[in-house]
Amino acid sequence: MEISVVIPLKNEEESLPELCEWIVRVMRENGFTYEIIMVDDGSTDLSWQVIESLTSANENIKGIKFQRNYGKSAALNEAFKAAQGNVVITMDADLQDSPDEIPSLYKMIVEDGFDLVSGWKKKRYDNVITKNLPSKFYNSITRRMSGIVLHDFNCGLKSYRKKVVKSIEVYGEMHRYIPVLAKWAGFRKIGEKVVEHRPRKYGVTKFGWERFINGFLDLTSIMFMGRFGKRPMQFFGLWGTIAFLISFIFILYLVISKILYPQYALTNKPAFYLTMAGMILGTQLFLAGFLGEMISRNSADRNSYLVEQRRGFTK
Ligand code: UDP
Ligand code: MG
């Protein structure tokens, strides 16, 4: 199978028939073998009924339904596990992304050798204040922190080599940073393509103001996980040791002064309280590092990045 189209959706009943029809038309015109995986992320409207009728009308269309709303990342993750196509293309359900982009996104993966191609909504039809400006800000921070040169990390329209979606786990609100996840998983060829963006035709946006804070928290944890996720001690242990050593030197100094000059009052010196706090903090950081090491040692994917290929082994 050449292409899996993945569509996460929540309450998009009006858009689905039109979207599917359009995708199917593009697939037929180009002669692609394909599947469309629609993930109903806890819709409360008739989306699932619409999906059921679409799947029974066309055997290439498949549906996954969540019991409740788990978020776009969970929806993508579930579809990534199920996808069979050599190239996986994700797309929003609200008709803001154009299926006409599919053939060129596919070609960039199979012919130009990209691992991941992100759409770039260069001309964007969303609210300037609540969407476009914050998104510019986020994109520039993410670019700087991750070193990946993309203009639009969070574009819903993206294409992936199959191996990429099988190697990453998208959870929380991580769908905004999939290129960063892919980079940490070892996929270096990440490109972008300017894509057509259209105003939302039906329904309303599903992301409110919380995405600013959540987005920032997820970015910090993703950067931390990428750098120190497999070796937390190198972060916590380093800072713990530094805090402890500095405080220890000061404590020594204070104790020696006290011995040499018994009239020297320790407890009304700021240095006394600072060194106490420093030693406690240092020990705590060290412990956090140890706990982190123990957790990562027990995690199922502790070595998942090691072997890429094997050859010549007999079973
Ligand atoms: N979506 C989802 N689960 C959620 C929120 C959104 O599957 O909890 C889907 C939504 O139906 C749409 C896509 O994610 O297909 C992008 O959402 P939306 O268009 O609301 O975001 P915007 O374009 O406004 O950033
Ligand atoms: Mg949208």
Side-chain angles (χ1 to χ4, degrees):
M1 185 186 294
E2 288 166 310
I3 302 182
S4 296
V5 180
V6 164
I7 304 168
L9 62 109
K10 182 187 161 201
N11 298 342
E12 310 278 5
E13 56 181 8
E14 305 101 324
S15 319
L16 296 180
E18 198 174 325
L19 178 67
C20 276
E21 199 182 305
W22 190 353
I23 296 173
V24 171
R25 193 171 69 231
V26 171
M27 295 298 180
R28 293 209 172 122
E29 279 168 6
N30 291 274
F32 288 129
T33 47
Y34 71 100
E35 65 180 349
I36 300 175
I37 305 178
M38 291 191 277
V39 190
D40 179 355
D41 181 17
S43 296
T44 48
D45 65 355
L46 295 177
S47 293
W48 184 247
Q49 279 87 327
V50 175
I51 292 173
E52 282 181 327
S53 73
L54 289 167
T55 52
S56 43
N58 180 340
E59 60 176 15
N60 296 314
I61 302 181
K62 300 158 188 181
I64 297 173
K65 180 175 162 51
F66 286 175
Q67 197 76 283
R68 64 165 175 85
N69 178 241
Y70 281 91
K72 189 176 177 183
S73 293
L76 289 175
N77 199 56
E78 220 38 55
F80 284 169
K81 283 197 249 166
Q84 297 170 42
N86 291 329
V87 171
V88 176
I89 296 182
T90 59
M91 178 177 283
D92 287 353
D94 53 4
L95 290 164
Q96 290 197 271
D97 301 325
S98 160
D100 289 335
E101 307 282 356
I102 290 175
S104 43
L105 285 170
Y106 174 77
K107 281 201 192 84
M108 286 180 78
I109 301 284
V110 295
E111 287 172 18
D112 306 338
F114 284 99
D115 294 317
L116 187 167
V117 178
S118 180
W120 173 15
K121 301 172 293 238
K122 199 167 180 180
K123 180 145 179 45
R124 192 170 170 180
Y125 295 90
D126 277 318
N127 188 305
V128 176
I129 304 293
T130 61
K131 288 250 148 137
N132 300 6
L133 288 178
S135 144
K136 279 215 164 77
F137 173 72
Y138 264 107
N139 279 310
S140 88
I141 295 186
T142 315
R143 244 192 326 267
R144 215 157 299 166
M145 286 179 71
S146 67
I148 303 170
V149 191
L150 287 184
H151 291 88
D152 191 1
F153 281 84
N154 187 20
C155 185
L157 184 57
K158 286 190 172 59
S159 64
Y160 307 82
R161 189 178 298 286
K162 184 185 198 173
K163 211 164 146 197
V164 177
V165 303
K166 302 292 181 189
S167 317
I168 58 177
E169 195 182 345
V170 196
Y171 62 94
E173 307 269 304
M174 298 294 182
H175 61 266
R176 299 202 175 83
Y177 305 110
I178 296 183
V180 186
L181 291 175
K183 185 183 171 189
W184 289 124
F187 296 98
R188 303 268 139 188
K189 269 207 97 180
I190 297 174
E192 73 184 342
K193 174 182 186 306
V194 175
V195 293
E196 184 200 346
H197 187 243
R198 294 130 44 87
R200 206 179 225 286
K201 194 163 172 185
Y202 308 102
V204 292
T205 176
K206 310 299 182 302
F207 293 102
W209 60 271
E210 331 78 73
R211 70 203 167 88
F212 296 129
I213 296 166
N214 292 344
F216 176 72
L217 293 177
D218 284 329
L219 181 61
T220 46
S221 56
I222 215 173
M223 293 310 295
F224 181 82
M225 287 303 288
R227 265 184 215 165
F228 301 106
K230 308 260 185 217
R231 47 197 170 93
M233 197 54 175
Q234 290 186 9
F235 176 81
F236 291 108
L238 175 73
W239 291 107
T241 311
I242 290 175
F244 194 89
L245 276 184
I246 292 179
S247 319
F248 191 73
I249 292 169
F250 271 93
I251 279 268
L252 270 186
Y253 164 76
L254 290 174
V255 167
I256 292 171
S257 329
K258 183 73 185 170
I259 293 170
L260 295 181
Y261 312 99
Q263 71 279 21
Y264 182 84
L266 274 187
T267 49
N268 60 5
K269 299 272 184 305
F272 178 74
Y273 295 99
L274 287 176
T275 50
M276 293 262 288
M279 291 192 78
I280 295 170
L281 196 74
T283 322
Q284 291 288 345
L285 282 171
F286 220 86
L287 275 177
F290 261 126
L291 291 176
E293 284 295 323
M294 284 161 77
I295 292 168
S296 76
R297 200 160 292 266
N298 285 322
S299 86
D301 70 339
R302 60 185 172 269
N303 284 328
S304 61
Y305 55 92
L306 286 179
V307 179
E308 197 195 352
Q309 279 183 25
R310 285 184 206 278
R311 235 162 225 272
F313 278 92
T314 46
K315 266 195 184 170

